[in-house]
Every structure is written in C-alpha cells, then in structure tokens.
Amino acid sequence: MRFIIERLFQFLLPPQCHCCEKFLDEGEQGICSDCLSEIRWIEPPFCSVCGTPFISGEVRSHPCGSCLTKRKYFTMARALGAYEGSLKEAIHRWKYQGKTTLTPFFVKWMVEGLYRYWDPNLFDLLVPVPLHIQRLRERGFNQALLLVKELSHRTGIPYQKRVLQKVRPTIPQVNLSGVERAKGVRGSFHMIGKEELEGKSILLVDDVYTTGATVNECSKVLLAGGAERVDVLTLAHALKNY
Ligand SMILES: [Zn+2]
Ligand SMILES: [Zn+2]
C-alpha cells in the first residue's frame, strides 16, 4: 500500500533534482539549474599528463611538477568537474545512497569529455577500476562499471569488466599524502586474462581522481599485461588549493 501511495505521489508531483531534491522547473532535467551552475568544470590550462588544473599564472598546458618527477604509467588523465559542491554531493548520493538514476547524466558529460580530449577511435577497450569484493558486497555495485557500461553503450567502444581484479582492500585514503597512497595501492591490483590486452589502447574509467595513485597502479598493471597505451577518464578530480 505504501509503495502504491509513494508511486502515486511520484506521478502527481513534479520530478525532483537528483542532487538537492528541489522540485524541478519546466525544462530542467535530472539536476536543477542551481546545482548545475555550481559545478566547476575543469578547463585548460592544466597538466598535460594528469589533468590537474593550474592555479594561476599559467597560459599553456604542460606537465606538472609531480608528473615530471614521478612517472605516470597512463598517457593522459582527464576529468570533467572539480570534486566539490554539488558535483561531490551528487556523486555521494549516487555511490552511497544508490541513486543510480544519475548515471546517464554523469555519462553524458563523460562522453563530451571523451570527444573533447581524444579521438574515440583510438580506444579498443573501456576498463573500469575494480572494487574489492568486500566493498562490492557492501555497496552492491561498482560505480566505475556503471559508468563504463553506459559509456560503452553511447560510444560503441567495447568494455571488459573482468580485466583487473582488486586483490586486497585499500585502507581509507582520505587523510593520506600522495606518496602514502601510492604505497597503499601498490600490488593491490592483479590482471585476469592477459592475452586479450596485447597491443590494445585502453581507456580506464573511474568516478573520482584523487591523487592518481589508484589509476596509476591500474595503468601499470595493464601495461605489464600487454596493453600498448592507457588513458584515464574520471567524472571528477579532487583539487588541492584550487
Ligand atoms: Zn539541485
Ligand atoms: Zn600532472
């Protein structure tokens, strides 16, 4: 009965913003214009390797200090928006409250990013950053796989979900430095089924780029497994001092 009443209300009331739950105005879809206008889209100039935006005084994109001193295994990482404000809120609701209806909105932006930064014909395969089985059981889904499936559907680039496996859980990384994170993820990903990757260009997909330690470790494993090139696309990029 409660379910029927809820459905009836959903039918009668205007749809709500997936992010702040405000009722949407006519013409608004999924996310309200206030939440959308709050998103800080990442624009050049940024690091030509990891995609971290430069704070000030830079006119051209070039490799940042971190990418010059420490090797990145991926060729290019790009993200759509800064991981803050309404985008962070939307990602949290999507990931931790199971608001998977947000997936098509996120992927629409990711498709735009894919076409902006790469020639999509470059890629043979989309690969999601895997979750450890324990985390997967808690959450019920791998958010990176949700993005990959929809991205594959919209671009026609095939995806492979069983390429990488997370063999041990990572300790929560929130308060760790880049170096500590890199140490924390070392050896935590393994390949499953090597032969399929020989000579392939892979687009690795995740929801948030934080220090890059996770995607860098995954890229290293993919290259060691025979991939020719790995690039990274994430929905958001966590920024420091920006
Ligand atoms: Zn809103
Ligand atoms: Zn960089």
Side-chain angles (χ1 to χ4, degrees):
M1 190 64 193
R2 202 177 135 223
F3 175 73
I4 297 170
I5 294 170
E6 273 176 14
R7 288 304 294 260
L8 193 65
F9 267 105
Q10 274 173 10
F11 182 72
L12 294 172
L13 293 171
Q16 287 168 284
C17 170
H18 288 305
C19 187
C20 70
E21 294 184 356
K22 191 182 88 176
F23 291 118
L24 293 176
D25 290 336
E26 219 172 300
E28 288 180 339
Q29 251 195 340
I31 299 175
C32 77
S33 48
D34 289 343
C35 286
L36 273 180
S37 67
E38 222 191 83
I39 297 175
R40 191 149 42 142
W41 302 104
I42 293 172
E43 305 278 352
F46 43 53
C47 168
S48 50
V49 182
C50 72
T52 302
F54 295 127
I55 306 162
S56 62
E58 311 276 350
V59 273
R60 234 176 283 141
S61 295
H62 57 81
C64 73
S66 153
C67 289
L68 281 173
T69 51
K70 242 191 136 284
R71 178 174 174 200
K72 297 291 190 292
Y73 292 92
F74 53 81
T75 306
M76 256 169 61
R78 295 292 181 266
L80 277 301
Y83 188 54
E84 57 173 30
S86 59
L87 182 57
K88 188 173 180 178
E89 176 65 32
I91 292 174
H92 272 240
R93 282 166 179 258
W94 172 68
K95 200 158 136 180
Y96 303 114
Q97 296 173 22
K99 291 247 181 197
T100 50
T101 41
L102 277 163
T103 311
F105 296 95
F106 292 159
V107 173
K108 182 175 158 267
W109 302 331
M110 292 178 92
V111 171
E112 286 167 15
L114 177 57
Y115 280 82
R116 190 182 320 145
Y117 299 121
W118 292 276
D119 172 0
N121 293 322
L122 171 72
F123 299 113
D124 302 300
L125 204 58
L126 303 171
V127 171
V129 169
L131 272 189
H132 187 262
I133 188 77
Q134 200 178 309
R135 192 58 56 80
L136 189 63
R137 284 200 191 116
E138 287 162 16
R139 196 171 298 161
F141 61 92
N142 174 5
Q143 72 277 6
L145 179 60
L146 285 189
L147 297 174
V148 156
K149 281 184 177 169
E150 182 78 15
L151 205 52
S152 171
H153 175 69
R154 294 202 190 193
T155 59
I157 306 170
Y159 74 94
Q160 185 58 266
K161 64 175 179 180
R162 287 183 59 79
V163 172
L164 291 171
Q165 184 182 24
K166 190 149 194 207
V167 289
R168 60 182 169 79
T170 318
I171 38 164
Q173 301 194 345
V174 183
N175 297 315
L176 299 183
S177 71
V179 177
E180 286 169 327
R181 280 183 183 230
K183 267 194 212 157
V185 295
R186 202 167 297 152
S188 59
F189 296 95
H190 280 183
M191 285 279 307
I192 324 169
K194 282 189 174 174
E195 59 292 331
E196 304 157 20
L197 294 192
E198 219 43 63
K200 292 205 166 141
S201 290
I202 292 172
L203 184 64
L204 185 66
V205 176
D206 206 358
D207 56 338
V208 184
Y209 182 109
T210 309
T211 60
T214 298
V215 289
N216 200 38
E217 183 66 19
C218 288
S219 303
K220 183 172 130 188
V221 174
L222 291 169
L223 291 178
E228 192 178 291
R229 164 181 176 147
V230 182
D231 291 76
V232 178
L233 177 62
T234 60
L235 178 57
H237 190 125
L239 306 174
K240 281 177 261 151
N241 314 318
Y242 179 62

